[in-house]
Amino acid sequence: MTGRTQFQFKARLVVMLGVIFCCGLAYSQKDLPINIDDSKVKPLPSLVNSDLQKSLEKELMSNPNWKSLMNNNKMAVGIVDLSNPENAKYASINGDYMMYAASLPKIAVLLSSMDAIEKGELKETPEIKKDMRSMISKSNNEATTRMIDRLGYDKIQSVMTDPKYMFYDESRGGGLWVGKRYGSGGDTNREPLKNLSHAATVNQVCRYYYLLANGKLVNKGRSKQMLDIMGDPELHHKFVNTLDNIAPDARLYRKSGSWRTFHSDSILVWGNNPNRRYILVALIDDAGGEQIIRDLVRPVEKVLKAERIHFAVN
């Protein structure tokens, strides 16, 4: 390495470290929701980043099993980089492909409940607050069914298709839907595209978490309340199992689901270090889906880390 080359390398390294340090200072807020100007909270499709997309595809497709699942619409993954909330980045694979998502769509019941409480349609009693927490943290089916019965399918559908949110959009492959109680009995209200009772797409779930992190679900106060309900998950499998080991101090906000071969997980990771702040969602139709979801965390963090270094250097 010549003297000039060494100088150029050191200069770029200084710039890279400076950018990383400055970003850490600028976005070191500890609490959620994120406190940024409304104009900085943008529609998720506008956050798609081509470099992040290429890196995600390259990393995940290098696993032959995952590649086969993704090519056959049996696996969908989405990530949102929140290390710099004013410049969030998004990438996904099969993002608009709707799948059966078991208990993950209980987050739709949570939002619908908060919307009803805010509008005075549902009274916020200690029993209801307990059911909402149990529905999310423990994925309790009985608590969820009680919340569904209190709300009704029409209410849940109206919130999911509300123009304010559009978490279920037929023109974009569907999305979040709850049209069946989590137990036997009762009527059903299946979604119109695939006749699924509990459905999700990666894109819509990532949108949900992105808006939640920025305090845009119902309002900032209700978003904070939802974050409190979704925080400190009591089920330590899938994404949480891996993050317990590699990021024990990070705050986790999460909802997962499993039924037969269908495995799903969704998480907002908020580390003390801004470089470990992201949203990760996976939907998988495979008997080994639980382990695949555990194994996804490290390669996704590798992609995010590499992309930040690439951005800093260039």
mmCIF file with all atom_site columns, all heavy atoms in Angstrom, residues 98-122:
data_model
loop_
_atom_site.group_PDB
_atom_site.id
_atom_site.type_symbol
_atom_site.label_atom_id
_atom_site.label_alt_id
_atom_site.label_comp_id
_atom_site.label_asym_id
_atom_site.label_entity_id
_atom_site.label_seq_id
_atom_site.pdbx_PDB_ins_code
_atom_site.Cartn_x
_atom_site.Cartn_y
_atom_site.Cartn_z
_atom_site.occupancy
_atom_site.B_iso_or_equiv
_atom_site.pdbx_formal_charge
_atom_site.auth_seq_id
_atom_site.auth_comp_id
_atom_site.auth_asym_id
_atom_site.auth_atom_id
_atom_site.pdbx_PDB_model_num
ATOM 1   N N   . MET A 1 98  ? -49.544 -12.375 0.713  1.00 0.00 ? 98  MET A N   1
ATOM 2   C CA  . MET A 1 98  ? -50.309 -12.619 1.931  1.00 0.00 ? 98  MET A CA  1
ATOM 3   C C   . MET A 1 98  ? -50.322 -14.098 2.289  1.00 0.00 ? 98  MET A C   1
ATOM 4   O O   . MET A 1 98  ? -50.508 -14.949 1.432  1.00 0.00 ? 98  MET A O   1
ATOM 5   C CB  . MET A 1 98  ? -51.743 -12.105 1.761  1.00 0.00 ? 98  MET A CB  1
ATOM 6   C CG  . MET A 1 98  ? -52.581 -12.196 3.027  1.00 0.00 ? 98  MET A CG  1
ATOM 7   S SD  . MET A 1 98  ? -54.147 -11.284 2.905  1.00 0.00 ? 98  MET A SD  1
ATOM 8   C CE  . MET A 1 98  ? -54.891 -12.057 1.454  1.00 0.00 ? 98  MET A CE  1
ATOM 9   N N   . MET A 1 99  ? -50.128 -14.370 3.577  1.00 0.00 ? 99  MET A N   1
ATOM 10  C CA  . MET A 1 99  ? -50.089 -15.743 4.074  1.00 0.00 ? 99  MET A CA  1
ATOM 11  C C   . MET A 1 99  ? -50.929 -15.860 5.340  1.00 0.00 ? 99  MET A C   1
ATOM 12  O O   . MET A 1 99  ? -51.213 -14.868 6.011  1.00 0.00 ? 99  MET A O   1
ATOM 13  C CB  . MET A 1 99  ? -48.640 -16.158 4.375  1.00 0.00 ? 99  MET A CB  1
ATOM 14  C CG  . MET A 1 99  ? -47.729 -16.139 3.162  1.00 0.00 ? 99  MET A CG  1
ATOM 15  S SD  . MET A 1 99  ? -45.968 -16.378 3.575  1.00 0.00 ? 99  MET A SD  1
ATOM 16  C CE  . MET A 1 99  ? -45.991 -18.056 4.196  1.00 0.00 ? 99  MET A CE  1
ATOM 17  N N   . TYR A 1 100 ? -51.292 -17.101 5.657  1.00 0.00 ? 100 TYR A N   1
ATOM 18  C CA  . TYR A 1 100 ? -51.925 -17.347 6.948  1.00 0.00 ? 100 TYR A CA  1
ATOM 19  C C   . TYR A 1 100 ? -50.885 -17.050 8.027  1.00 0.00 ? 100 TYR A C   1
ATOM 20  O O   . TYR A 1 100 ? -49.746 -17.520 7.947  1.00 0.00 ? 100 TYR A O   1
ATOM 21  C CB  . TYR A 1 100 ? -52.408 -18.792 7.059  1.00 0.00 ? 100 TYR A CB  1
ATOM 22  C CG  . TYR A 1 100 ? -53.094 -19.056 8.377  1.00 0.00 ? 100 TYR A CG  1
ATOM 23  C CD1 . TYR A 1 100 ? -54.403 -18.634 8.588  1.00 0.00 ? 100 TYR A CD1 1
ATOM 24  C CD2 . TYR A 1 100 ? -52.422 -19.678 9.425  1.00 0.00 ? 100 TYR A CD2 1
ATOM 25  C CE1 . TYR A 1 100 ? -55.034 -18.835 9.807  1.00 0.00 ? 100 TYR A CE1 1
ATOM 26  C CE2 . TYR A 1 100 ? -53.043 -19.888 10.643 1.00 0.00 ? 100 TYR A CE2 1
ATOM 27  C CZ  . TYR A 1 100 ? -54.347 -19.454 10.836 1.00 0.00 ? 100 TYR A CZ  1
ATOM 28  O OH  . TYR A 1 100 ? -54.950 -19.637 12.045 1.00 0.00 ? 100 TYR A OH  1
ATOM 29  N N   . ALA A 1 101 ? -51.270 -16.266 9.043  1.00 0.00 ? 101 ALA A N   1
ATOM 30  C CA  . ALA A 1 101 ? -50.285 -15.791 10.017 1.00 0.00 ? 101 ALA A CA  1
ATOM 31  C C   . ALA A 1 101 ? -50.630 -16.146 11.458 1.00 0.00 ? 101 ALA A C   1
ATOM 32  O O   . ALA A 1 101 ? -50.034 -15.603 12.389 1.00 0.00 ? 101 ALA A O   1
ATOM 33  C CB  . ALA A 1 101 ? -50.098 -14.280 9.869  1.00 0.00 ? 101 ALA A CB  1
ATOM 34  N N   . ALA A 1 102 ? -51.603 -17.035 11.656 1.00 0.00 ? 102 ALA A N   1
ATOM 35  C CA  . ALA A 1 102 ? -51.948 -17.529 12.994 1.00 0.00 ? 102 ALA A CA  1
ATOM 36  C C   . ALA A 1 102 ? -52.208 -16.376 13.965 1.00 0.00 ? 102 ALA A C   1
ATOM 37  O O   . ALA A 1 102 ? -53.085 -15.562 13.724 1.00 0.00 ? 102 ALA A O   1
ATOM 38  C CB  . ALA A 1 102 ? -50.858 -18.471 13.493 1.00 0.00 ? 102 ALA A CB  1
ATOM 39  N N   . SER A 1 103 ? -51.405 -16.278 15.026 1.00 0.00 ? 103 SER A N   1
ATOM 40  C CA  . SER A 1 103 ? -51.663 -15.288 16.080 1.00 0.00 ? 103 SER A CA  1
ATOM 41  C C   . SER A 1 103 ? -51.040 -13.922 15.830 1.00 0.00 ? 103 SER A C   1
ATOM 42  O O   . SER A 1 103 ? -51.332 -12.980 16.565 1.00 0.00 ? 103 SER A O   1
ATOM 43  C CB  . SER A 1 103 ? -51.168 -15.825 17.430 1.00 0.00 ? 103 SER A CB  1
ATOM 44  O OG  . SER A 1 103 ? -51.980 -16.884 17.878 1.00 0.00 ? 103 SER A OG  1
ATOM 45  N N   . LEU A 1 104 ? -50.169 -13.809 14.836 1.00 0.00 ? 104 LEU A N   1
ATOM 46  C CA  . LEU A 1 104 ? -49.556 -12.501 14.588 1.00 0.00 ? 104 LEU A CA  1
ATOM 47  C C   . LEU A 1 104 ? -50.598 -11.399 14.371 1.00 0.00 ? 104 LEU A C   1
ATOM 48  O O   . LEU A 1 104 ? -50.450 -10.294 14.901 1.00 0.00 ? 104 LEU A O   1
ATOM 49  C CB  . LEU A 1 104 ? -48.584 -12.587 13.402 1.00 0.00 ? 104 LEU A CB  1
ATOM 50  C CG  . LEU A 1 104 ? -47.683 -11.368 13.154 1.00 0.00 ? 104 LEU A CG  1
ATOM 51  C CD1 . LEU A 1 104 ? -46.457 -11.774 12.360 1.00 0.00 ? 104 LEU A CD1 1
ATOM 52  C CD2 . LEU A 1 104 ? -48.389 -10.242 12.404 1.00 0.00 ? 104 LEU A CD2 1
ATOM 53  N N   . PRO A 1 105 ? -51.696 -11.654 13.617 1.00 0.00 ? 105 PRO A N   1
ATOM 54  C CA  . PRO A 1 105 ? -52.675 -10.592 13.381 1.00 0.00 ? 105 PRO A CA  1
ATOM 55  C C   . PRO A 1 105 ? -53.441 -10.130 14.629 1.00 0.00 ? 105 PRO A C   1
ATOM 56  O O   . PRO A 1 105 ? -54.296 -9.246  14.527 1.00 0.00 ? 105 PRO A O   1
ATOM 57  C CB  . PRO A 1 105 ? -53.630 -11.215 12.352 1.00 0.00 ? 105 PRO A CB  1
ATOM 58  C CG  . PRO A 1 105 ? -52.825 -12.264 11.673 1.00 0.00 ? 105 PRO A CG  1
ATOM 59  C CD  . PRO A 1 105 ? -51.959 -12.822 12.754 1.00 0.00 ? 105 PRO A CD  1
ATOM 60  N N   . LYS A 1 106 ? -53.119 -10.683 15.774 1.00 0.00 ? 106 LYS A N   1
ATOM 61  C CA  . LYS A 1 106 ? -53.708 -10.154 17.008 1.00 0.00 ? 106 LYS A CA  1
ATOM 62  C C   . LYS A 1 106 ? -53.340 -8.686  17.213 1.00 0.00 ? 106 LYS A C   1
ATOM 63  O O   . LYS A 1 106 ? -54.002 -7.970  17.960 1.00 0.00 ? 106 LYS A O   1
ATOM 64  C CB  . LYS A 1 106 ? -53.290 -11.006 18.212 1.00 0.00 ? 106 LYS A CB  1
ATOM 65  C CG  . LYS A 1 106 ? -53.932 -12.394 18.209 1.00 0.00 ? 106 LYS A CG  1
ATOM 66  C CD  . LYS A 1 106 ? -53.433 -13.269 19.352 1.00 0.00 ? 106 LYS A CD  1
ATOM 67  C CE  . LYS A 1 106 ? -54.056 -14.666 19.293 1.00 0.00 ? 106 LYS A CE  1
ATOM 68  N NZ  . LYS A 1 106 ? -53.579 -15.577 20.341 1.00 0.00 ? 106 LYS A NZ  1
ATOM 69  N N   . ILE A 1 107 ? -52.281 -8.238  16.540 1.00 0.00 ? 107 ILE A N   1
ATOM 70  C CA  . ILE A 1 107 ? -51.946 -6.807  16.609 1.00 0.00 ? 107 ILE A CA  1
ATOM 71  C C   . ILE A 1 107 ? -53.048 -5.964  15.962 1.00 0.00 ? 107 ILE A C   1
ATOM 72  O O   . ILE A 1 107 ? -53.227 -4.790  16.307 1.00 0.00 ? 107 ILE A O   1
ATOM 73  C CB  . ILE A 1 107 ? -50.574 -6.499  15.964 1.00 0.00 ? 107 ILE A CB  1
ATOM 74  C CG1 . ILE A 1 107 ? -50.537 -6.872  14.486 1.00 0.00 ? 107 ILE A CG1 1
ATOM 75  C CG2 . ILE A 1 107 ? -49.456 -7.180  16.737 1.00 0.00 ? 107 ILE A CG2 1
ATOM 76  C CD1 . ILE A 1 107 ? -49.242 -6.491  13.770 1.00 0.00 ? 107 ILE A CD1 1
ATOM 77  N N   . ALA A 1 108 ? -53.806 -6.558  15.026 1.00 0.00 ? 108 ALA A N   1
ATOM 78  C CA  . ALA A 1 108 ? -54.950 -5.856  14.434 1.00 0.00 ? 108 ALA A CA  1
ATOM 79  C C   . ALA A 1 108 ? -56.058 -5.678  15.465 1.00 0.00 ? 108 ALA A C   1
ATOM 80  O O   . ALA A 1 108 ? -56.735 -4.639  15.502 1.00 0.00 ? 108 ALA A O   1
ATOM 81  C CB  . ALA A 1 108 ? -55.474 -6.626  13.224 1.00 0.00 ? 108 ALA A CB  1
ATOM 82  N N   . VAL A 1 109 ? -56.235 -6.676  16.319 1.00 0.00 ? 109 VAL A N   1
ATOM 83  C CA  . VAL A 1 109 ? -57.227 -6.578  17.389 1.00 0.00 ? 109 VAL A CA  1
ATOM 84  C C   . VAL A 1 109 ? -56.793 -5.521  18.400 1.00 0.00 ? 109 VAL A C   1
ATOM 85  O O   . VAL A 1 109 ? -57.620 -4.751  18.910 1.00 0.00 ? 109 VAL A O   1
ATOM 86  C CB  . VAL A 1 109 ? -57.416 -7.945  18.081 1.00 0.00 ? 109 VAL A CB  1
ATOM 87  C CG1 . VAL A 1 109 ? -58.472 -7.857  19.176 1.00 0.00 ? 109 VAL A CG1 1
ATOM 88  C CG2 . VAL A 1 109 ? -57.802 -9.019  17.064 1.00 0.00 ? 109 VAL A CG2 1
ATOM 89  N N   . LEU A 1 110 ? -55.494 -5.451  18.672 1.00 0.00 ? 110 LEU A N   1
ATOM 90  C CA  . LEU A 1 110 ? -54.986 -4.446  19.608 1.00 0.00 ? 110 LEU A CA  1
ATOM 91  C C   . LEU A 1 110 ? -55.250 -3.034  19.100 1.00 0.00 ? 110 LEU A C   1
ATOM 92  O O   . LEU A 1 110 ? -55.756 -2.178  19.842 1.00 0.00 ? 110 LEU A O   1
ATOM 93  C CB  . LEU A 1 110 ? -53.479 -4.650  19.830 1.00 0.00 ? 110 LEU A CB  1
ATOM 94  C CG  . LEU A 1 110 ? -52.810 -3.638  20.767 1.00 0.00 ? 110 LEU A CG  1
ATOM 95  C CD1 . LEU A 1 110 ? -53.400 -3.702  22.171 1.00 0.00 ? 110 LEU A CD1 1
ATOM 96  C CD2 . LEU A 1 110 ? -51.296 -3.871  20.812 1.00 0.00 ? 110 LEU A CD2 1
ATOM 97  N N   . LEU A 1 111 ? -54.923 -2.775  17.842 1.00 0.00 ? 111 LEU A N   1
ATOM 98  C CA  . LEU A 1 111 ? -55.158 -1.442  17.286 1.00 0.00 ? 111 LEU A CA  1
ATOM 99  C C   . LEU A 1 111 ? -56.651 -1.117  17.251 1.00 0.00 ? 111 LEU A C   1
ATOM 100 O O   . LEU A 1 111 ? -57.061 -0.007  17.602 1.00 0.00 ? 111 LEU A O   1
ATOM 101 C CB  . LEU A 1 111 ? -54.572 -1.346  15.877 1.00 0.00 ? 111 LEU A CB  1
ATOM 102 C CG  . LEU A 1 111 ? -54.884 -0.053  15.105 1.00 0.00 ? 111 LEU A CG  1
ATOM 103 C CD1 . LEU A 1 111 ? -54.422 1.179   15.876 1.00 0.00 ? 111 LEU A CD1 1
ATOM 104 C CD2 . LEU A 1 111 ? -54.258 -0.089  13.716 1.00 0.00 ? 111 LEU A CD2 1
ATOM 105 N N   . SER A 1 112 ? -57.457 -2.078  16.851 1.00 0.00 ? 112 SER A N   1
ATOM 106 C CA  . SER A 1 112 ? -58.907 -1.853  16.803 1.00 0.00 ? 112 SER A CA  1
ATOM 107 C C   . SER A 1 112 ? -59.459 -1.558  18.195 1.00 0.00 ? 112 SER A C   1
ATOM 108 O O   . SER A 1 112 ? -60.359 -0.718  18.354 1.00 0.00 ? 112 SER A O   1
ATOM 109 C CB  . SER A 1 112 ? -59.607 -3.074  16.208 1.00 0.00 ? 112 SER A CB  1
ATOM 110 O OG  . SER A 1 112 ? -59.146 -3.345  14.893 1.00 0.00 ? 112 SER A OG  1
ATOM 111 N N   . SER A 1 113 ? -58.922 -2.206  19.201 1.00 0.00 ? 113 SER A N   1
ATOM 112 C CA  . SER A 1 113 ? -59.349 -1.965  20.583 1.00 0.00 ? 113 SER A CA  1
ATOM 113 C C   . SER A 1 113 ? -58.983 -0.553  21.009 1.00 0.00 ? 113 SER A C   1
ATOM 114 O O   . SER A 1 113 ? -59.805 0.156   21.624 1.00 0.00 ? 113 SER A O   1
ATOM 115 C CB  . SER A 1 113 ? -58.694 -2.983  21.522 1.00 0.00 ? 113 SER A CB  1
ATOM 116 O OG  . SER A 1 113 ? -59.040 -4.306  21.170 1.00 0.00 ? 113 SER A OG  1
ATOM 117 N N   . MET A 1 114 ? -57.770 -0.124  20.706 1.00 0.00 ? 114 MET A N   1
ATOM 118 C CA  . MET A 1 114 ? -57.338 1.221   21.072 1.00 0.00 ? 114 MET A CA  1
ATOM 119 C C   . MET A 1 114 ? -58.147 2.286   20.333 1.00 0.00 ? 114 MET A C   1
ATOM 120 O O   . MET A 1 114 ? -58.492 3.331   20.895 1.00 0.00 ? 114 MET A O   1
ATOM 121 C CB  . MET A 1 114 ? -55.849 1.397   20.769 1.00 0.00 ? 114 MET A CB  1
ATOM 122 C CG  . MET A 1 114 ? -54.945 0.676   21.738 1.00 0.00 ? 114 MET A CG  1
ATOM 123 S SD  . MET A 1 114 ? -55.103 1.330   23.416 1.00 0.00 ? 114 MET A SD  1
ATOM 124 C CE  . MET A 1 114 ? -54.027 0.202   24.300 1.00 0.00 ? 114 MET A CE  1
ATOM 125 N N   . ASP A 1 115 ? -58.462 2.012   19.084 1.00 0.00 ? 115 ASP A N   1
ATOM 126 C CA  . ASP A 1 115 ? -59.281 2.932   18.307 1.00 0.00 ? 115 ASP A CA  1
ATOM 127 C C   . ASP A 1 115 ? -60.669 3.049   18.932 1.00 0.00 ? 115 ASP A C   1
ATOM 128 O O   . ASP A 1 115 ? -61.218 4.153   19.068 1.00 0.00 ? 115 ASP A O   1
ATOM 129 C CB  . ASP A 1 115 ? -59.388 2.432   16.867 1.00 0.00 ? 115 ASP A CB  1
ATOM 130 C CG  . ASP A 1 115 ? -60.181 3.360   15.965 1.00 0.00 ? 115 ASP A CG  1
ATOM 131 O OD1 . ASP A 1 115 ? -59.579 4.297   15.410 1.00 0.00 ? 115 ASP A OD1 1
ATOM 132 O OD2 . ASP A 1 115 ? -61.404 3.149   15.831 1.00 0.00 ? 115 ASP A OD2 1
ATOM 133 N N   . ALA A 1 116 ? -61.242 1.917   19.341 1.00 0.00 ? 116 ALA A N   1
ATOM 134 C CA  . ALA A 1 116 ? -62.570 1.915   19.957 1.00 0.00 ? 116 ALA A CA  1
ATOM 135 C C   . ALA A 1 116 ? -62.559 2.619   21.306 1.00 0.00 ? 116 ALA A C   1
ATOM 136 O O   . ALA A 1 116 ? -63.492 3.370   21.640 1.00 0.00 ? 116 ALA A O   1
ATOM 137 C CB  . ALA A 1 116 ? -63.065 0.470   20.122 1.00 0.00 ? 116 ALA A CB  1
ATOM 138 N N   . ILE A 1 117 ? -61.511 2.408   22.082 1.00 0.00 ? 117 ILE A N   1
ATOM 139 C CA  . ILE A 1 117 ? -61.401 3.075   23.385 1.00 0.00 ? 117 ILE A CA  1
ATOM 140 C C   . ILE A 1 117 ? -61.288 4.588   23.198 1.00 0.00 ? 117 ILE A C   1
ATOM 141 O O   . ILE A 1 117 ? -61.949 5.372   23.883 1.00 0.00 ? 117 ILE A O   1
ATOM 142 C CB  . ILE A 1 117 ? -60.187 2.527   24.163 1.00 0.00 ? 117 ILE A CB  1
ATOM 143 C CG1 . ILE A 1 117 ? -60.458 1.085   24.611 1.00 0.00 ? 117 ILE A CG1 1
ATOM 144 C CG2 . ILE A 1 117 ? -59.871 3.418   25.369 1.00 0.00 ? 117 ILE A CG2 1
ATOM 145 C CD1 . ILE A 1 117 ? -59.233 0.371   25.156 1.00 0.00 ? 117 ILE A CD1 1
ATOM 146 N N   . GLU A 1 118 ? -60.459 4.995   22.253 1.00 0.00 ? 118 GLU A N   1
ATOM 147 C CA  . GLU A 1 118 ? -60.256 6.423   22.000 1.00 0.00 ? 118 GLU A CA  1
ATOM 148 C C   . GLU A 1 118 ? -61.549 7.103   21.560 1.00 0.00 ? 118 GLU A C   1
ATOM 149 O O   . GLU A 1 118 ? -61.799 8.265   21.903 1.00 0.00 ? 118 GLU A O   1
ATOM 150 C CB  . GLU A 1 118 ? -59.163 6.607   20.940 1.00 0.00 ? 118 GLU A CB  1
ATOM 151 C CG  . GLU A 1 118 ? -58.774 8.050   20.676 1.00 0.00 ? 118 GLU A CG  1
ATOM 152 C CD  . GLU A 1 118 ? -58.076 8.726   21.842 1.00 0.00 ? 118 GLU A CD  1
ATOM 153 O OE1 . GLU A 1 118 ? -57.570 8.019   22.742 1.00 0.00 ? 118 GLU A OE1 1
ATOM 154 O OE2 . GLU A 1 118 ? -58.029 9.982   21.848 1.00 0.00 ? 118 GLU A OE2 1
ATOM 155 N N   . LYS A 1 119 ? -62.375 6.375   20.811 1.00 0.00 ? 119 LYS A N   1
ATOM 156 C CA  . LYS A 1 119 ? -63.627 6.942   20.300 1.00 0.00 ? 119 LYS A CA  1
ATOM 157 C C   . LYS A 1 119 ? -64.806 6.757   21.253 1.00 0.00 ? 119 LYS A C   1
ATOM 158 O O   . LYS A 1 119 ? -65.931 7.127   20.925 1.00 0.00 ? 119 LYS A O   1
ATOM 159 C CB  . LYS A 1 119 ? -63.955 6.310   18.940 1.00 0.00 ? 119 LYS A CB  1
ATOM 160 C CG  . LYS A 1 119 ? -62.974 6.704   17.848 1.00 0.00 ? 119 LYS A CG  1
ATOM 161 C CD  . LYS A 1 119 ? -63.272 5.968   16.545 1.00 0.00 ? 119 LYS A CD  1
ATOM 162 C CE  . LYS A 1 119 ? -62.298 6.406   15.444 1.00 0.00 ? 119 LYS A CE  1
ATOM 163 N NZ  . LYS A 1 119 ? -62.494 5.629   14.201 1.00 0.00 ? 119 LYS A NZ  1
ATOM 164 N N   . GLY A 1 120 ? -64.550 6.164   22.410 1.00 0.00 ? 120 GLY A N   1
ATOM 165 C CA  . GLY A 1 120 ? -65.616 5.961   23.376 1.00 0.00 ? 120 GLY A CA  1
ATOM 166 C C   . GLY A 1 120 ? -66.543 4.809   23.046 1.00 0.00 ? 120 GLY A C   1
ATOM 167 O O   . GLY A 1 120 ? -67.626 4.693   23.622 1.00 0.00 ? 120 GLY A O   1
ATOM 168 N N   . GLU A 1 121 ? -66.131 3.952   22.127 1.00 0.00 ? 121 GLU A N   1
ATOM 169 C CA  . GLU A 1 121 ? -66.945 2.791   21.748 1.00 0.00 ? 121 GLU A CA  1
ATOM 170 C C   . GLU A 1 121 ? -66.716 1.606   22.681 1.00 0.00 ? 121 GLU A C   1
ATOM 171 O O   . GLU A 1 121 ? -67.498 0.663   22.693 1.00 0.00 ? 121 GLU A O   1
ATOM 172 C CB  . GLU A 1 121 ? -66.615 2.389   20.304 1.00 0.00 ? 121 GLU A CB  1
ATOM 173 C CG  . GLU A 1 121 ? -66.882 3.483   19.287 1.00 0.00 ? 121 GLU A CG  1
ATOM 174 C CD  . GLU A 1 121 ? -66.261 3.200   17.924 1.00 0.00 ? 121 GLU A CD  1
ATOM 175 O OE1 . GLU A 1 121 ? -65.513 2.195   17.798 1.00 0.00 ? 121 GLU A OE1 1
ATOM 176 O OE2 . GLU A 1 121 ? -66.518 3.971   16.990 1.00 0.00 ? 121 GLU A OE2 1
ATOM 177 N N   . LEU A 1 122 ? -65.626 1.651   23.424 1.00 0.00 ? 122 LEU A N   1
ATOM 178 C CA  . LEU A 1 122 ? -65.260 0.579   24.336 1.00 0.00 ? 122 LEU A CA  1
ATOM 179 C C   . LEU A 1 122 ? -64.687 1.208   25.593 1.00 0.00 ? 122 LEU A C   1
ATOM 180 O O   . LEU A 1 122 ? -63.839 2.098   25.520 1.00 0.00 ? 122 LEU A O   1
ATOM 181 C CB  . LEU A 1 122 ? -64.214 -0.339  23.677 1.00 0.00 ? 122 LEU A CB  1
ATOM 182 C CG  . LEU A 1 122 ? -63.779 -1.598  24.421 1.00 0.00 ? 122 LEU A CG  1
ATOM 183 C CD1 . LEU A 1 122 ? -64.947 -2.578  24.533 1.00 0.00 ? 122 LEU A CD1 1
ATOM 184 C CD2 . LEU A 1 122 ? -62.599 -2.256  23.700 1.00 0.00 ? 122 LEU A CD2 1
#
